[in-house]
Amino acid sequence: MAADAERIEETLSSGRPRVLVVGAGFGGLACARKLNRKPVEVLLVDERNYHLFTPLLYQVATALLNPSDIAYPLRRVFRGSPNVRVMQARVKSVDFKRKVVQVSPGSELRYDYLVLATGSANSYFGNQRLAEHSIGLKVLEEATRLRNHVLSCLERAEMETDDEVRQSLLTFLVAGGGPTGVEYAGALGELIQLVARRDFHSIAPSDVRIVLVEGRDRLLGMFPERLGRYAERVLRKRGIDVRTNTLVNAADDWSATLSDGSTIPTRTIVWSAGVSPEKPSGTEALAESRSKRIQVDDRLRIEGVRDAYAIGDVAAAKTDGDELPMLSPPAMQEGRYVARAILRDVQRAATPPEPFRYFDKGTMATIGRNAGIALVRGGLQFTGFFGWVTWIVVHVYYLIGFRNRLLALVAWGWNYLRFDRPIRIVLESQTDPLVEGIDDPAPPSQKARSRGGSG
Ligand SMILES: Cc1cc2nc3c(=O)[nH]c(=O)nc-3n(C[C@H](O)[C@H](O)[C@H](O)COP(=O)(O)OP(=O)(O)OC[C@H]3O[C@@H](n4cnc5c(N)ncnc54)[C@H](O)[C@@H]3O)c2cc1C
């Protein structure tokens, strides 16, 4: 990694101000794209080499889309760019005084402007047992793990003769009734209905139980009540056991204990009940909001440090005094705003930029086939088929890459007409020891020399 950082320093030595964007999610990518072909050098650092379209993660987890359909290689995005470089690395810490970030011991990247766009991670509210016994739905690895796990539970249940074990294999608990939990529960219901009925001889759809647990008194708290109630009705009609005013308190290998005192025998707890901002070390001293996001001023500058911005889920950006929700549109608008603000600063504009204002176009979610909800700017609300079609159009529009759009449309069309979720394969994943294990970056020739073998 030290060699990577040196190489980056060599290729980016244009003398123009350097913008270091940490995180290539919705916010970071929008920022880097806006700075493309502008008089700055941009280094976009992400621990993954692709941009992930999180709104469709649950469709990978329920065997409808392939992982590659919702991921787009970052190097492809900036293939022809004269000034944006991409680096796959995890930023470990930030030193705001020296204006450097550390990517591995002894390997630092300097910046003139920093844009922190590291997003958020699963939060289990400090309950380690819950973390160990749940599967999150935040990154691609978790979505494929969940797909493998659910399909494996069905495979195992098909053979199982012990009723108790079978019941726990066929019970799926989803924690969190926000958009992710609702969308996943609806899609899982469809997967089970389609797969269990056709592919498994001994599993009837009625043997399978999906429980959706939400701590508040209704689902989809961020939407108007009417839309939340609609989602609840649709899910119940489709056989999902929805429990509001209920929390998951504890879990072990065989069951989950709920706050109403009941115990659900299950081998599957899907966690969508909480996220918290993902902050590299060095940020501990920064002011944070009640939700632990980094405090930024009305121009998205991190309070108390120089030339550093925070955007997206990690930042407590506000409009009209309200902290913006952890959603992709605010992250993207903030990314573009910060890019413009940096360019004005670089070009020494006479006046500072206007304060950031979020333009809310609306929010939407799907509950399953023919059932969606959409809240459009101005308070307009759609449910049912129209809400579902609106959701499809918007998501195809925002997916990156023509191929991905086409593949998603084909997959949805196929599923709609054929009632089929085709990616029902259980894959064992392995890390690559030849890559993962490289702690010593010295190439073989150097190693041989240091052993005295090169003659
Ligand atoms: C399952 C799911 C479904 C969702 N559905 C919707 C939806 O339908 N509509 C909607 O608007 N929003 C949705 N969201 C929320 C949306 O994904 C986030 O609000 C949005 O991604 C925030 O953008 P961001 O740029 O702040 O972070 P992200 O998009 O999460 O990107 C953060 C990036 O930073 C990288 N990173 C993190 N730490 C480091 C580090 N230390 N070093 C290097 N790289 C790092 C990560 O690899 C990642 O690429 C969903 C989220 C999830 C998990």
Side-chain angles (χ1 to χ4, degrees):
M1 195 59 78
D4 281 1
E6 272 170 36
R7 183 96 190 92
I8 287 281
E9 291 296 343
E10 277 168 27
T11 58
L12 268 179
S13 53
S14 66
R16 286 176 296 188
R18 174 180 302 178
V19 184
L20 183 61
V21 183
V22 185
F26 285 95
L29 187 64
C31 181
R33 279 177 136 177
K34 195 85 192 162
L35 293 172
N36 189 19
R37 300 181 184 280
K38 294 289 187 302
V40 285
E41 52 179 48
V42 180
L43 180 54
L44 179 60
V45 184
D46 198 299
E47 58 187 326
R48 303 187 292 228
N49 75 338
Y50 54 86
H51 169 76
L52 179 64
F53 193 77
T54 47
L56 296 180
L57 257 184
Y58 79 95
Q59 299 203 352
V60 171
T62 50
L64 182 53
L65 293 179
N66 267 308
S68 58
D69 300 344
I70 65 163
Y72 200 80
L74 292 171
R75 289 188 186 279
R76 174 74 186 82
V77 180
F78 298 103
R79 188 183 273 172
S81 171
N83 68 320
V84 182
R85 294 287 172 273
V86 172
M87 181 178 184
Q88 185 184 0
R90 181 166 177 82
V91 168
K92 299 225 163 53
S93 63
V94 184
D95 185 333
F96 292 100
K97 274 203 187 109
R98 290 175 51 232
K99 294 176 87 170
V100 292
V101 303
Q102 193 190 60
V103 284
S104 62
S107 178
E108 291 181 341
L109 299 166
R110 61 160 192 86
Y111 66 81
D112 298 302
Y113 298 92
L114 177 73
V115 182
L116 210 52
T118 43
S120 53
N122 291 314
S123 164
Y124 299 88
F125 311 109
N127 190 332
Q128 193 50 34
R129 299 270 301 164
L130 263 183
E132 280 162 18
H133 292 94
S134 315
I135 304 178
L137 191 47
K138 197 80 184 75
V139 291
L140 213 39
E141 290 79 359
E142 288 174 331
T144 46
R145 181 183 163 207
L146 193 50
R147 182 191 72 197
N148 290 339
H149 173 82
V150 168
L151 295 173
S152 299
C153 283
L154 295 174
E155 293 290 348
R156 188 61 210 277
E158 171 89 338
M159 306 295 178
E160 188 56 61
T161 48
D162 183 315
D163 278 349
E164 247 180 75
V165 175
R166 195 168 184 276
Q167 194 195 351
S168 69
L169 286 165
L170 293 178
T171 302
F172 301 95
L173 181 78
V174 183
T180 301
V182 165
E183 289 183 329
Y184 178 73
L188 181 64
E190 272 179 21
L191 172 71
I192 301 289
Q193 287 295 326
L194 299 174
V195 175
R197 190 159 42 90
R198 289 186 191 158
D199 293 7
F200 292 87
H201 299 288
S202 75
I203 304 174
S206 56
D207 295 343
V208 180
R209 190 173 164 212
I210 301 171
V211 186
L212 174 63
V213 175
E214 163 59 37
R216 296 197 208 178
D217 63 348
R218 68 178 180 88
L219 301 180
L220 299 174
M222 65 196 299
F223 286 86
E225 182 158 0
R226 187 177 84 86
L227 299 185
R229 299 278 174 223
Y230 167 81
E232 191 170 331
R233 269 199 317 279
V234 172
L235 286 176
R236 283 191 202 281
K237 243 191 233 164
R238 295 182 183 193
I240 316 287
D241 176 358
V242 180
R243 302 198 185 182
T244 48
N245 290 315
T246 311
L247 299 168
V248 181
N249 277 350
D252 60 26
D253 281 352
W254 289 98
S255 64
T257 309
L258 307 185
S259 57
D260 60 9
S262 60
T263 299
I264 310 271
T266 181
R267 301 285 287 172
T268 311
I269 301 172
V270 182
W271 188 258
S272 69
V275 290
S276 59
E278 174 82 358
K279 295 180 277 191
S281 68
T283 55
E284 299 82 1
L286 300 177
E288 56 184 32
S289 69
R290 270 182 55 205
S291 53
K292 307 258 181 258
R293 295 163 92 182
I294 296 173
Q295 288 285 13
V296 288
D297 66 11
D298 60 2
R299 286 191 241 149
L300 307 183
R301 295 172 300 189
I302 298 178
E303 289 179 4
V305 294
R306 276 183 43 239
D307 300 324
Y309 297 81
I311 57 174
D313 285 4
V314 79
K318 291 182 182 154
T319 288
D320 296 331
D322 294 328
E323 192 169 305
L324 296 172
M326 288 187 176
L327 289 173
S328 52
M332 287 190 284
Q333 289 182 29
E334 290 164 25
R336 289 190 285 264
Y337 172 89
V338 162
R340 282 194 299 269
I342 290 173
L343 287 174
R344 284 178 72 92
D345 202 51
V346 167
Q347 289 158 349
R348 308 220 179 280
T351 52
E354 291 286 306
F356 172 76
R357 270 197 78 77
Y358 173 53
F359 182 80
D360 186 1
K361 292 182 202 156
T363 326
M364 51 193 63
T366 48
I367 302 130
R369 174 178 289 260
N370 296 336
I373 55 169
L375 172 67
V376 186
R377 188 173 174 81
L380 219 57
Q381 300 174 12
F382 300 118
T383 55
F385 183 73
F386 195 63
W388 185 65
V389 171
T390 312
W391 180 93
I392 288 178
V393 171
V394 169
H395 283 75
V396 167
Y397 178 78
Y398 279 107
L399 250 183
I400 296 184
F402 177 72
R403 179 184 170 276
N404 287 3
R405 288 188 191 130
L406 189 69
L407 290 175
L409 270 178
V410 169
W412 293 338
W414 181 267
N415 174 50
Y416 194 71
L417 299 173
R418 308 269 313 169
F419 291 85
D420 191 16
R421 289 184 169 250
I423 310 163
R424 300 195 296 275
I425 49 172
V426 179
L427 281 179
E428 301 287 334
S429 66
Q430 274 187 343
T431 50
D432 180 349
L434 289 175
V435 176
E436 300 295 322
I438 301 180
D439 287 322
D440 170 11
S445 56
Q446 279 180 27
K447 281 186 196 163
R449 265 203 298 281
S450 69
R451 284 197 302 265
S454 66

